[in-house]
């Protein structure tokens, strides 16, 4: 009985049937299907101990407190810190990118020195020697630009610039610079802070408070907390601006008005308040009253802005009858607004008696300075960078011999970008302390990469818009990934090399001294069980145990203080308003109404790679960006949906596709900012156009401030 | 003809016999040999005695804690183990040698122990312990608390997963029996 053919077939048949009663075929099919999920190129979730550490966002200007999720010590995800008053658990698209940006292809991996049209890596010691030599030779004509509104690094930068012989220390223009100018003209002390948490009627003039203006994460949380789902809202929000943007979309009412007319609308409301008997003891009230009554009646405002008299009257009535009304004024795209509209908006707060009151505007004092010889924040905000660079470009202002640029990208982030680039070309030695190869860094002689916020000590002090003084710590939670250094340390090392005494050896010492100085400030406390807006509303502030402040800040809590700078002569600055705010005829030309969004980054960060997927096809399709016009404007200009057009302004042309969008008021061309980078990585580069370059800078009458709020453009 | 008949009769019987041999052989291979071939056997880099630690009164959650959102917070790091075992003991007992091996190889080098985890879920599964905290740990996990030597780790040569990784049908069966939704998005976010 050998193994003949039949026996073999029997063996095979039996074996096959037998196999069906074993796990072999079923398990192999199952495991093979699972195997297809594990191909080596599929990204894996890292494994290890998961923990959460606290820090604060520096990439996002809203200054949210963050909880960084780490796996085996590696940061994985940034989320909002529920214990932080500027976050309350919320996080912006930009703060969310703190972790991802660590691995951005645009990161500068080591110090670089220009070599013709390219850069060559150098050591940090070589960079310091080079800087010391060039800055020593440039003494007496060294300028600096900072893009960081909130950091103590500015004290180190401006103190060093001053000791080298300052040709000017400037802040990149933002809402903070405009507001600071307005407050100065009004004779006010301190930074305007808005108490959204305690306000019951909020009039928003232009400011995109839930997207790019001020403490946007905290603003959203305050708005949400007062409007629990299914319950009656505890307050009313009215938005006035050229488009139904992310703020207007959730407000109770959108009143279409051009950004150039925000001051006119404010004075139109003031007309109603004055008529109803509003008065003030502040200097300049009589002149202000005369200006308002002389040209801002309901019909004047309607003729100039298109806003109906009954709409203005209703807003004025709502404000006058509210217990805690608040008026917030800002640019719909976070820059370029003149000082006069802010003064006009603040005048409404004064008429309503809302200065330094719960739910109103607090004039917040500046936190103590620790670096000897540093400029105050108010002094830095007083500089007019676009005017300075335009003067350098035209030859009216002597070009500095050296320029230090920290966390700023003026070649991309300022209007008239081409002019700004030409101005920079006139400066013989430029150093960029940027983390990314941005448009400005690409023009510099030395690029000395700053470690990213998750790799360095830094801080955030009272971002513009916050209703209370607030200070939070940024601390390293991992070693620098590339050969980068904290710029504060580099500047202090440079000072030592130049035999300049700035009191500190490293930047961590500066931050520690700052925290120690805060522990001595009367009225300061750690926001933990009691939040600052509760203190503003009357709850006692808890005591601060000084020695524990550093530990509390490291744990993610914020130091806060509800207080106000003493006011001696805050007035209406009516003469500025009279010169700058005119209720003329509506503009006949096509006006650019840019809008900014945190998901498209900032000039400093470029576009975070993970945010690119959140940009809709009606904003960016392929490499082309869209402009938005409503159907009425499209008809007037002869534009069709999807049509390619050329926008011209300030001597620059930009391409765009047309998107018909009814949430833009007639006569306006709404255009997204954050696109059109020529530097950074492939996530940002070559995506659409930089529409800010179309904006021409003009000087505001009365204040002399550079403004570019409503540039006219041609469409062909 | 006779020979042919004989062959035919013997052939059918033989064929049946070989079929039976094939059937039984397949069962032996399928149930006995195949599983041993499919899985490679590995041992933990450190012979961690759970018994010693539980006898000291340490609860599972003290080392295997959960994150704020209820997700498993991972295995203890070398640093957290080093809080108790930061120095070599010089103890020559079996457990003492393991402690010294841990200190020498991981604490002093700053490396994490490449523990073999019996039940890591696939990356495409979101599992929250917070939603399952009513159950005893041992309902799903090996009862290692009573083991002085960690059990062998069996790795599926084809899929790469541990033999103890819970399969989808097991999750679904439990969800069904508890009246919990089995919709895809419940586990696959």
């Amino acid at each position: 009985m050998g193994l003949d053919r039949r026996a073999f077939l029997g063996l095979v048949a039996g074996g096959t049937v037998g196999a069906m009663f074993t796990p072999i075929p079923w398990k192999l099919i199952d495991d093979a299907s699972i195997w297809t999920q594990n191909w080596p190129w599929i990204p894996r979730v890292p494994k290890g101990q998961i923990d959460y550490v606290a820090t604060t966002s520096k990439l996002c200007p809203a200054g949210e407190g963050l909880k960084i999720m780490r796996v085996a010590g590696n940061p994985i995800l940034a989320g909002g810190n529920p214990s932080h008053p500027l976050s309350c658990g919320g996080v912006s698209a930009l703060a969310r990118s703190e972790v991802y940006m660590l691995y951005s292809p645009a990161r500068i991996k080591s110090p670089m020195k220009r070599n013709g049209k390219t850069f060559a890596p150098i050591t940090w010691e070589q960079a310091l020697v080079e800087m010391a030599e060039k800055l020593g030779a440039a003494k007496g004509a060294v300028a600096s630009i900072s893009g960081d509104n909130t950091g103590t690094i500015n004290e180190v930068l401006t103190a060093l610039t001053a000791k080298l012989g300052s040709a000017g220390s400037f802040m990149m223009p933002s809402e903070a610079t405009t507001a600071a100018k307005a407050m100065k003209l009004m004779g006010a002390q301190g930074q305007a802070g808005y108490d959204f948490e305690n306000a019951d009627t909020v009039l928003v003039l232009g400011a995109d408070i839930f997207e790019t203006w001020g403490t946007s994460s905290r603003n959203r949380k305050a708005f949400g907390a007062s409007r629990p789902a299914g319950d009656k809202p505890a307050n009313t929000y009215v938005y006035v601006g050229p488009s139904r943007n992310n703020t207007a979309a959730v407000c109770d009412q959108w009143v279409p008005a051009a950004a150039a007319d925000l001051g006119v609308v404010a004075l139109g409301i003031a007309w109603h308040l004055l008529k109803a008997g509003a008065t003030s003891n502040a200097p300049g009230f009589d002149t202000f009253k005369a200006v308002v009554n002389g040209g801002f009646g309901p019909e004047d405002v309607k003729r100039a802005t298109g806003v109906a008299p009954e709409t203005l009257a209703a807003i004025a009535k709502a404000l006058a009858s509210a217990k805690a009304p608040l008026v917030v004024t800002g640019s719909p795209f976070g820059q370029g607004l003149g000082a006069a509209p802010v003064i006009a908006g603040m005048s409404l707060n004064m008429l309503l008696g809302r200065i330094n009151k719960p739910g109103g505007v607090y004039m917040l004092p500046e936190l103590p300075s620790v670096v000897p010889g540093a400029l105050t924040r108010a002094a830095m905000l007083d500089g007019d960078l676009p005017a300075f660079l335009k003067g350098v470009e035209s030859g009216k202002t002597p070009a500095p011999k050296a320029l230090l640029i920290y966390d700023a990208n003026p070649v991309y982030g300022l209007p008239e970008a081409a002019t700004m680039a030409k101005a920079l070309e006139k400066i013989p030695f430029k150093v960029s302390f940027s983390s990314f190869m941005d448009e400005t860094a690409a023009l510099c002689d030395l690029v000395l990469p700053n470690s990213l916020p998750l790799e360095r000590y830094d801080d955030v002090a009272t971002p513009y818009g916050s209703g209370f003084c607030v200070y939070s710590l940024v601390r390293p939670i991992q070693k620098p990934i590339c050969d980068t250094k904290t710029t504060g340390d580099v500047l202090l090392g440079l000072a030592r090399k130049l035999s300049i005494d700035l009191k500190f050896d490293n930047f961590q010492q500066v931050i520690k001294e700052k925290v120690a100085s805060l522990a001595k400030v009367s009225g300061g406390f750690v926001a933990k069980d009691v939040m600052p807006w509760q203190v503003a509303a009357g709850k006692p502030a808890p005591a601060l145990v000084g020695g524990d402040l550093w530990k509390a800040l490291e744990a993610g809590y914020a130091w806060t203080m509800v207080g106000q700078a003493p006011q001696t002569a805050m007035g209406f600055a009516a003469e500025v308003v009279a010169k700058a705010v005119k209720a003329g005829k509506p503009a006949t030309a096509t006006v650019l109404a840019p809008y900014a969004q945190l998901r498209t980054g900032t000039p400093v960060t470029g576009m975070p790679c993970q945010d690119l997927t959140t940009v809709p096809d009606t904003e960016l399709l392929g490499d082309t960006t869209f402009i938005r016009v409503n159907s009425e404007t499209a008809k007037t200009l002869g534009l069709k949906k999807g049509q390619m057009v050329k926008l011209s302004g300030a001597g620059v042309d930009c391409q765009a596709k047309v998107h018909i969008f009814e949430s833009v008021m007639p006569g306006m061309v709404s255009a997204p900012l954050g696109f059109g980078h020529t530097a950074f990585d492939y996530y940002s580069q070559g995506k659409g156009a930089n529409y800010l370059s179309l904006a021409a800078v003009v000087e505001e009458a009365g204040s002399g401030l550079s403004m570019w709020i409503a540039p006219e453009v041609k469409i062909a | 003809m006779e020979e042919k008949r004989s062959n035919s009769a013997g052939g059918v019987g033989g064929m049946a016999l070989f079929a039976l041999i094939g059937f039984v052989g397949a069962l032996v291979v399928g149930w006995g040999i195949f599983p041993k071939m499919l899985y490679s056997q590995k041992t933990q880099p450190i012979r961690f005695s759970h018994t010693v630690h539980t006898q000291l009164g340490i609860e599972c959650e003290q080392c295997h804690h959960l994150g704020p959102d209820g997700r498993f917070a991972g295995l203890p790091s070398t640093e957290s183990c080093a809080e108790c075992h930061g120095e070599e003991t010089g103890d020559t007992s079996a457990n003492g040698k393991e402690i010294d091996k841990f200190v020498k190889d991981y604490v002093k080098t700053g490396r994490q122990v490449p523990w073999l985890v019996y039940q890591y879920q696939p990356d495409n599964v979101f599992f929250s312990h917070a939603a399952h905290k009513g159950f005893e740990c041992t309902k799903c996990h090996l009862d290692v608390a009573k083991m002085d030597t960690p059990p062998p780790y069996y790795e599926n040569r084809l899929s790469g997963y541990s033999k103890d990784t819970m399969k989808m049908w097991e999750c679904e069966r439990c969800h069904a029996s508890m009246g919990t939704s089995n919709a895809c998005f419940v586990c696959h976010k």
Side-chain angles (χ1 to χ4, degrees), chain B residues 72-137:
Chain B
F72 176 51
L75 297 181
S77 63
T78 296
E79 292 73 26
S80 53
C81 296
E83 286 173 16
C84 296
H85 301 294
E87 298 294 336
E88 290 184 64
T89 62
D91 183 359
T92 53
S93 69
N95 283 346
K97 283 180 182 172
E98 285 299 315
I99 293 170
D100 290 354
K101 185 181 169 194
F102 164 72
V103 173
K104 190 173 161 221
D105 292 353
Y106 299 103
V107 178
K108 292 191 172 169
T109 60
R111 291 165 56 219
Q112 298 299 322
V113 184
W115 297 111
L116 300 164
V117 181
Y118 300 104
Q119 278 183 301
Y120 267 145
Q121 285 296 316
D123 285 348
N124 60 357
V125 175
F126 176 84
F127 181 89
S128 170
H129 280 79
H132 298 84
K133 64 182 177 184
F135 295 98
E136 286 294 320
C137 302

Side-chain angles (χ1 to χ4, degrees), chain B residues 25-47:
Chain B
L27 291 181
V28 170
V29 170
W31 291 102
I33 301 170
F34 171 70
K36 288 195 172 71
M37 290 170 63
L38 186 62
Y39 295 101
S40 64
Q41 185 177 330
K42 295 180 177 177
T43 51
Q44 295 287 0
I46 297 291
R47 190 183 59 74

Side-chain angles (χ1 to χ4, degrees), chain A residues 256-508:
Chain A
D261 293 334
L262 295 171
V264 179
V265 174
L267 297 187
I269 294 168
W271 185 91
H272 284 283
L273 294 178
L274 291 168
K275 195 181 169 206
T279 186
S280 171
N281 292 325
F285 173 70
D286 292 336
T287 314
F288 177 77
K289 192 174 178 181
V291 169
V292 171
N293 287 333
F296 295 93
E299 289 306 320
D300 300 317
V301 175
K302 186 186 177 188
R303 190 177 60 251
T305 67
V307 178
E310 56 272 23
T311 304
L312 275 194
I315 294 172
K317 189 179 174 188
L319 289 171
S321 58
K323 283 183 183 167
L326 173 66
V327 180
V328 186
T329 315
S331 158
F333 58 104
Q335 54 175 289
L337 189 69
V342 182
I343 296 171
M346 197 58 74
S347 299
L348 291 179
N349 284 312
M350 291 172 74
L351 288 177
L352 293 161
R354 305 303 299 143
I355 306 299
N356 291 332
K357 296 274 177 61
V361 184
Y362 282 99
M363 304 306 297
L364 303 173
E366 198 162 319
L367 303 185
S369 175
V370 293
V371 181
L375 285 187
T376 61
R377 187 192 288 187
M380 264 199 100
L381 291 171
D382 198 35
D384 188 337
L385 180 61
F388 174 73
L389 289 179
K390 280 192 81 172
V392 169
E393 191 271 335
S394 65
K396 287 179 187 167
T397 307
K401 290 179 185 167
L403 177 65
L404 305 176
I405 305 162
Y406 175 76
D407 217 20
N409 184 8
V411 173
Y412 173 88
L414 290 180
E416 295 191 40
T419 310
M420 304 307 166
K422 280 181 197 164
L424 255 64
E425 280 169 12
K426 289 194 167 185
I427 301 170
F429 181 65
K430 302 173 284 290
V431 184
S432 170
F433 298 96
S434 172
S435 302
F436 305 102
M437 186 50 85
D438 59 36
E439 285 82 355
T440 303
L443 290 180
C444 286
D445 302 283
L446 280 182
V447 184
L448 307 182
N450 192 12
S451 297
L452 279 177
L454 296 186
E455 304 167 329
R456 70 178 195 241
Y457 272 107
D458 210 326
D459 57 2
V460 175
T462 321
Y464 177 68
S466 172
F468 38 85
C469 292
V470 57
Y471 181 91
S472 17
L473 188 65
V474 177
R475 65 191 185 101
I477 61 168
Q478 69 161 64
K479 289 178 182 168
I481 291 173
C482 309
D483 184 17
T484 59
K485 282 184 188 291
T486 303
T487 299
D489 290 336
V490 178
L491 293 176
L492 290 167
L494 174 68
R496 274 197 305 278
K497 226 172 184 62
L498 289 164
S499 303
I500 292 172
D501 182 17
L502 291 181
K503 188 180 162 186
F504 299 97
D505 292 327
N506 62 61
F507 193 55
Q508 191 183 350

Side-chain angles (χ1 to χ4, degrees), chain A residues 158-174:
Chain A
T158 58
L160 178 64
T161 310
K163 293 266 171 81
L164 286 167
S166 175
S169 287
F170 298 92
M171 202 83 96
M172 281 290 281
S174 67

